[in-house]
Amino acid sequence: MGKKCEVKLHGMWASSYSKRVEMALKVKGIPYEYIEEDLSNKSQLLLTCNPVHKKIPLLVHNEKPIVESYIILEYIDETWKNSPRLFPEDPYERAKVRFWANYIQQQMIESKSRVIMSDGETQVKESKEYIEKQKVLEEGVKDFFKGDGPYTNGQNLGVLDILTVATLGFYEVQEQVFGVKFMDPEMTPFLYSWVTAVNEHPVVKEVSPPLDKIMGFLLYFKQNRPIYSNK
C-alpha cells in the first residue's frame, strides 16, 4: 500500500496507438497506472517528454519516458522478458515480424487514413485500395500460424495480433459511419477470421471502448475532418 507505481501510461481512450500499449502491458501482466490525456490541453509532462511529436502514448517507467507506440512495444518486451513474449526470440522470426509490423504501420494505416479523410468517389476508390493492402497482409502473415492457436503467438497475443486488431478491430462501426467497406470477408477471409478471433480475446475486450462511444467519436470526427482529395 502506498508504493509508487513504477509504470504509468499517458493515453487517450479513442486512440488505437494507446490501445496497442494497453494490450501489451496486460498481455505481459505488468501493473500500470493509466492517465487520460486531454489532447486539447496536453499535460506539461507529455509536452516535455515528447517534444518532437507531442503525442500520446507516453510510457513512464521508473520516471524514464518512452514515446512512440511501436518503440514502446519493443521496450516492454525487452524490459520484461517473462512469457508471453510479444516478439519471437529467434532473430530471423523476429525480423519477419518486424517487416510485417512495419507494413501495417506504414502501408495499412496510411491507406486507412486516406479512406476516413476522403468522401464520395475518392473514398470508394481509397477503400478498395485499402482492402487490396489487406490482401497483401493476409498472404504475408499466414506462415506465422502453426496450428497451435488463433493468434500469431500461439495461444497468446503477439505484436502482430496487437497491431492488426488496433488497426482493423472496429471495422464494423467504421463502415456504419463512413458508408464504405473497411474489411471484406470474401476478399480476405483469413484476415477476417483472424481479426474476429483477436477481437474475442479477453485483453482486447477489456481495453476496447464501448461501440456506442466509438460511434459518437467517429460521427463527430466525420463532421469536423478536413477532406482529402487524390486529384
Side-chain angles (χ1 to χ4, degrees), residues 70-187:
Y70 183 73
I71 293 173
I72 294 172
L73 296 183
E74 288 191 321
Y75 177 86
I76 288 171
D77 207 40
E78 291 167 359
T79 303
W80 289 272
K81 297 185 181 295
N82 59 287
S83 295
R85 299 300 300 269
L86 302 177
F87 292 82
E89 294 192 37
D90 178 78
Y92 178 65
E93 293 298 318
R94 188 162 60 247
K96 290 196 297 181
V97 164
R98 283 175 168 156
F99 174 86
W100 287 108
N102 188 61
Y103 178 85
I104 292 167
Q105 296 189 102
Q106 292 190 355
Q107 298 290 325
M108 298 283 294
I109 293 177
E110 181 180 337
S111 180
K112 182 179 181 180
S113 296
R114 290 197 296 268
V115 177
I116 66 176
M117 300 297 284
S118 58
D119 211 345
E121 292 182 5
T122 299
Q123 189 176 57
V124 173
K125 176 178 179 295
E126 294 296 342
S127 173
K128 290 179 180 178
E129 291 186 6
Y130 180 49
I131 290 175
E132 286 299 315
K133 292 187 182 298
Q134 291 179 27
K135 290 168 67 176
V136 174
L137 177 65
E138 169 157 319
E139 290 304 313
V141 300
K142 282 182 178 179
D143 67 330
F144 290 103
F145 295 84
K146 310 300 182 185
D148 56 351
Y151 317 118
T152 54
N153 199 19
Q155 296 298 323
N156 300 295
L157 295 181
V159 69
L160 289 183
D161 303 291
I162 290 171
L163 294 179
T164 299
V165 79
T167 305
L168 294 168
F170 285 109
Y171 70 92
E172 290 178 305
V173 67
Q174 290 163 349
E175 289 176 351
Q176 292 178 51
V177 171
F178 294 101
V180 293
K181 279 286 186 183
F182 280 84
M183 179 172 283
D184 190 330
E186 294 184 1
M187 297 282 285

Side-chain angles (χ1 to χ4, degrees), residues 151 157 165-166 168-172 192-206 208:
Y151 317 118
L157 295 181
V165 79
L168 294 168
F170 285 109
Y171 70 92
E172 290 178 305
Y192 174 78
S193 64
W194 178 26
V195 171
T196 300
V198 178
N199 264 331
E200 292 301 312
H201 192 283
V203 163
V204 177
K205 286 188 169 184
E206 184 178 355
S208 296

